[in-house]
Amino acid sequence: MKNTFLNRVSAERRVLSVVNELVPSNQQLTGLSGAAISRWRAVVGLDRTSSVSPILLAVAEQCQRLSDRSNETFMPIEEADSEKIEEHLVKLHRELERCL
Amino acid sequence: MNHEIYVFGSICRGESCPTSDVDILVLPFTDDRSKFPTSWSIYAPELVREYFTKGRLFAWHLHLEARCIFSPHETPFLSALGAPAPYSTMSKDIDELEELLRETIHELESGTRNVVYELGIAYTAIRDLAMSASWALLGEPCFSSDAPYKLPDPCPLEFATYKQAMLARHSSTRGIEIGTDLDQAVNEIIRAPFGQWVASLRGGK
């Protein structure tokens, strides 16, 4: 079983790939922090991303929970419930294809 | 107000730079975590106590750096804990961080669209490998962001490239702007002999 930071990176990587496959490289979403999402929205366009933003923020929070609300990498192992992330990913993909 | 607040990280090491943030640790003595910003690190005091008892590197990080800025107690919780047990999970941490570095290099080699994110993860893995190994190689844990260059066998990556990867991480976590011309940094990270370097870190065990 992996530590929680590795789980978190795997989850974040999947979310970012869903977004970045659909935008040019100079508009890539660089992370799932609130600040990175805000920067991405400003670059891509606030109107175009308005319906995506709440889903991104929700899945970002879910990913962050995988490492106990911290960026610390030396965390103990915990079982991560990934079901909610999967649900968010489906929603995110659908909404991105609609609005981008 | 039944909680304690500490600062730790670069600000406590005097290592501030234009993209620095302030690391805040909250120890809530009740279950109400919702009143704190999501960017703060919030840990149940009993979990922190467990880290101290088990000798986790994070416990040493807090022990050596954290400065209490608010406590309702005469003696802050971390001060009362005293020194953590000796760092006990170095070997496992190095294994996991090497796996993290290997995965992110694989992503970069595969032409990922998440270039900034992956560069930032490479930085995190390299930095934390050095922090972990510093326990054995330097005789005391080093939590500097430049820890990979303070070891007897320094990181086999140009320092400027390492710093570029650090900015990538700050773009991921703090939303700073970073240029998109990152090909050189990606190529250098892919080519660097990290396998040998990590082996040398293990040699200090």
Side-chain angles (χ1 to χ4, degrees):
Chain A
M1 194 162 34
K2 290 180 175 182
N3 84 8
T4 55
F5 188 74
L6 293 176
N7 283 330
R8 175 175 167 178
V9 169
S10 297
E12 289 185 340
R13 188 175 275 147
R14 292 185 61 201
V15 175
L16 292 171
S17 293
V18 166
V19 176
N20 289 333
E21 289 295 328
L22 297 173
V23 296
S25 63
N26 63 354
Q27 294 183 354
Q28 68 184 283
L29 177 60
T30 61
L32 291 181
S33 64
I37 292 170
S38 294
R39 189 204 65 86
W40 177 76
R41 291 196 65 204
V43 170
V44 175
L46 295 178
D47 288 344
R48 290 176 75 198
T49 56
S50 61
S51 59
V52 176
S53 179
I55 308 173
L56 267 180
L57 290 169
V59 74
E61 187 184 339
Q62 204 67 40
C63 288
Q64 194 173 23
R65 289 165 70 97
L66 297 180
S67 58
D68 197 22
R69 293 187 66 176
S70 168
N71 287 320
E72 174 59 43
T73 55
F74 295 97
M75 286 294 101
I77 295 163
E78 279 178 12
E79 285 292 347
D81 178 7
S82 61
E83 283 179 18
K84 282 189 181 167
I85 291 176
E86 295 301 325
E87 288 170 18
H88 287 308
L89 274 172
V90 171
K91 275 192 220 168
L92 180 64
H93 198 266
R94 196 166 49 217
E95 198 55 35
L96 281 165
E97 289 202 316
R98 192 185 68 77
C99 68
L100 290 184
Chain B
M1 286 188 289
N2 202 7
H3 63 268
E4 290 184 350
I5 297 180
Y6 297 79
V7 292
F8 67 107
S10 60
I11 195 170
C12 294
R13 296 190 300 272
E15 287 188 346
S16 302
C17 71
T19 58
S20 291
D21 64 358
V22 178
D23 292 308
I24 304 284
L25 171 75
V26 181
L27 303 181
F29 295 96
T30 63
D31 287 337
D32 184 11
R33 297 175 163 216
S34 60
K35 64 184 177 182
F36 304 108
T38 56
S39 59
W40 292 6
S41 296
I42 304 170
Y43 288 94
E46 286 315 306
L47 187 62
V48 172
R49 184 195 300 277
E50 185 185 324
Y51 294 165
F52 272 64
T53 305
K54 291 185 174 173
R56 292 197 180 279
L57 196 58
F58 186 46
W60 278 97
H61 198 165
L62 296 180
H63 176 65
L64 295 174
E65 280 189 1
R67 302 285 177 267
C68 185
I69 56 173
F70 173 76
S71 173
H73 307 121
E74 193 172 325
T75 303
F77 184 79
L78 291 186
S79 301
L81 288 178
Y87 179 32
S88 63
T89 57
M90 186 176 78
S91 181
K92 177 173 153 292
D93 289 343
I94 288 178
D95 287 348
E96 290 181 347
L97 289 164
E98 186 180 29
E99 183 186 345
L100 181 67
L101 182 58
R102 219 182 274 132
E103 281 180 4
T104 206
I105 289 173
H106 175 72
E107 290 291 319
L108 291 168
E109 284 174 330
S110 304
T112 178
R113 307 274 297 181
N114 308 328
V115 176
V116 175
Y117 179 79
E118 297 297 349
L119 276 178
I121 294 299
Y123 159 77
T124 302
I126 293 164
R127 180 201 63 188
D128 290 1
L129 276 163
M131 287 180 178
S132 184
S134 67
W135 175 270
L137 294 173
L138 298 178
E140 61 180 2
C142 172
F143 297 107
S144 165
S145 60
D146 295 342
Y149 298 88
K150 297 188 176 198
L151 300 178
D153 187 5
C155 172
L157 192 65
E158 288 291 332
F159 186 64
T161 305
Y162 175 75
K163 284 295 185 184
Q164 201 169 9
M166 182 190 79
L167 291 178
R169 184 61 182 162
H170 292 179
S171 180
S172 295
T173 57
R174 302 167 198 175
I176 69 156
E177 290 294 335
I178 183 169
T180 53
D181 186 15
L182 300 168
D183 290 353
Q184 190 179 343
V186 169
N187 288 332
E188 285 184 24
I189 285 175
I190 289 172
R191 287 201 309 264
F194 286 116
Q196 290 172 32
W197 182 60
V198 175
S200 81
L201 302 186
R202 285 203 175 89
K205 284 188 288 189

